Amino acid sequence: LTNEQRESAMQLCFYKTSYDELNIVEYGFGYPIVRPAARFVPWADLDSETRITMEETHGYNEFTWNVPALNPSELKGWFEMTDTEKRGAEAINCTDSCWDCWQAQYNSYGWQDLVNRGHVDAYAALGWSESSWCGESTAPPTNKRSWNELTEQEQLNATELCLDRFNWDRNSLEVNTGPFPFILPPLRYKQWSSLTFDQQQIAKDVFLYKEETWDNVGTADIEMRLFDDLTDFQKTYAVELGFYEKTWDCFQNHYRSETWRYLRSDVLSASETLGWNQSSWGITKPTPNVYNQQWGELSPEEQAAATTLCYFDKSWPGGPGGARDQLVGSVLQEGREGVMSQADRMLPKVATVGSICALMYIFI
């Protein structure tokens, strides 16, 4: 259909799946390519043969499989993949155009490639331009929004790029049973003395932690930065410590370095509950008086707001009892112990994909 015909069909409450009479499980509300079901099975539920294949061909582990866009292979287009990597893609029935759409969301394409392949309209509708795609100007506001904050039309545009709530929000395939918006990264809340030698070296050499700043959460200079402010080198090693953009910004920075107008609606509401406003917000600004109170002195509403910002009793600035308490080895044992704790594992290799345009993420 032409764009005009599609708009008319939408006026009649048609979308791609219903108009073309496609299977809604496989095509959602407008996926251009059938959803590869095997890719969205949690790591723990994959059969052993598939897990071994994905480990050997792409270097996946539980963390980088369950969270989209962490594995360097997912930045590559099909044309850039090795024969070994293609063999892995075949194991999950996602090859060629499926891989480019569902795994890479065409991130390996240059802007003209998007034009030639017919994907540029969907990206343009989400606010992207050639300059922002190539990193010459800032990403559009949609890049900071959660799926729920997109308009219905923007969600439909996203589905044309094989994006749904899961991979747009970069949710984990693992069920989050904790109180936080994201699964707690347990390695960060172990005492320095409990880390392996290699983990200590990463923390010290890459992020400039010392034993004191590691064990006293919130005191290290690196925690004043958002994930986007880390170097590419640091981002790679952040994954080794069990972090990605969502968890770093929440558990490490608590969004303090984010611009007020870009805060998600739930984060904005929580920040206001804790006494922040647009003029007082910022990593270099004094914290509201509530931050001087002990965790147990906070009201239920304040504790809930703090939890939305990924604070808990051991990380709250006022501490659970007086000044900030040092970490204890038993903190939140119900968390995912052992996630990314295999420090002797090879680090993920950074993908080289040709041009700066290919390195642009559309994930928020």
Side-chain angles (χ1 to χ4, degrees), residues 90-112:
E90 290 169 357
I92 58 172
N93 296 316
C94 188
T95 61
D96 203 351
S97 57
C98 172
W99 185 275
D100 284 353
C101 192
W102 278 105
Q103 291 284 74
Q105 282 78 41
Y106 309 110
N107 275 293
S108 63
Y109 288 27
W111 188 257
Q112 189 57 48

Side-chain angles (χ1 to χ4, degrees), residues 141-170:
T142 55
N143 204 46
K144 290 285 186 179
R145 295 176 189 158
S146 68
W147 181 263
N148 287 339
E149 292 173 322
L150 297 178
T151 66
E152 183 177 357
Q153 182 58 54
E154 288 169 340
Q155 289 180 355
L156 290 172
N157 294 135
T159 62
E160 294 179 21
L161 303 168
C162 295
L163 286 161
D164 56 13
R165 184 188 306 276
F166 165 72
N167 53 16
W168 179 276
D169 286 341
R170 295 187 71 182

Side-chain angles (χ1 to χ4, degrees), residues 2 57 59 139 159 192 195 247 262-263 290 303:
T2 65
T57 59
T159 62
W192 181 267
L195 301 179
T247 52
Y262 290 141
L263 295 177
V290 70
Q303 286 191 2

Side-chain angles (χ1 to χ4, degrees), residues 259-277:
T259 304
W260 181 263
R261 70 176 180 273
Y262 290 141
L263 295 177
R264 295 196 319 268
S265 56
D266 60 329
V267 173
L268 184 66
S269 177
S271 300
E272 291 174 336
T273 297
L274 294 175
W276 293 101
N277 57 50

